[in-house]
Amino acid sequence: MSSGISVFYRNKYLLASFFFLLLSQSAHADLVVESAWVKLAPPAIQMSAAYMKLSNQQQQVQVITQVSADCCASAMLHVNKVQGDKVFMEHLDQLSIPAQSSVDLKPGEVHIMLMKPRIPLVLDTPVRITFTFSDGSRQSVETLVKRDE
């Protein structure tokens, strides 16, 4: 009898652990990434930019706190700002994608700066970009270097 009770509690514990794992994984679902591409830069330029549409189909906001790319020493979220007759880029510490909404990363607006390439970013070179979220989870997307789209 005692072994039956032991098996019951062990199975109950495993079942509870399974549901906790399932719920914790669904708490952060991946963003839907569309139309991702990296801009082909002139050969002497040591930076490029990545663009894409990020869609959050969850019921809560998703916050990207860091971005990295396998091709480059550094990757950062930037936004172009206009002040008077000057345009400059400003670093973003994070990017929030509202629930049930999307954010477009596009030229002249929010984008990912890719700096100090470790490999030549020539046409059709694959680039893996990884997002780190505020909950510590990560998501990677692979894209290609392309001419202006």
Side-chain angles (χ1 to χ4, degrees):
M1 180 81 169
S2 66
S3 65
I5 292 173
S6 173
V7 169
F8 171 77
Y9 283 111
R10 191 173 339 128
N11 287 343
K12 187 176 178 181
Y13 174 76
L14 289 172
L15 188 59
S17 297
F18 171 76
F19 281 117
F20 175 78
L21 181 62
L22 187 64
L23 289 173
S24 66
Q25 286 181 343
S26 65
H28 177 82
D30 292 343
L31 294 173
V32 175
V33 180
E34 299 174 276
S35 306
W37 63 288
V38 171
K39 183 176 181 169
L40 177 66
I45 303 298
Q46 291 294 301
M47 66 179 66
S48 186
Y51 309 104
M52 62 199 69
K53 180 178 183 176
L54 302 172
S55 298
N56 176 8
Q57 298 178 344
Q58 290 195 36
Q59 297 300 319
Q60 69 266 2
V61 66
Q62 291 200 44
V63 181
I64 297 171
T65 56
Q66 185 178 355
V67 63
S68 62
D70 64 352
C71 65
C72 300
S74 178
M76 300 169 80
L77 290 163
H78 280 174
V79 63
N80 285 18
K81 296 274 185 160
V82 178
Q83 197 168 42
D85 61 348
K86 296 183 182 186
V87 177
F88 63 96
M89 282 187 287
E90 184 176 286
H91 170 73
L92 296 174
D93 290 327
Q94 62 185 28
L95 178 64
S96 296
I97 299 99
Q100 301 291 305
S101 190
S102 62
V103 173
D104 288 319
L105 279 60
K106 54 188 175 182
E109 296 182 22
V110 177
H111 58 279
I112 299 168
M113 285 300 302
L114 304 172
M115 298 163 279
K116 299 179 186 172
R118 292 186 267 247
I119 60 168
L121 294 178
V122 296
L123 200 59
D124 295 325
T125 301
V127 174
R128 178 175 293 276
I129 297 171
T130 302
F131 300 107
T132 302
F133 297 90
S134 57
D135 67 359
S137 63
R138 292 187 174 150
Q139 177 182 348
S140 293
V141 60
E142 190 156 317
T143 185
L144 295 174
V145 175
K146 300 189 176 216
R147 297 189 197 284
D148 286 342
E149 295 215 339

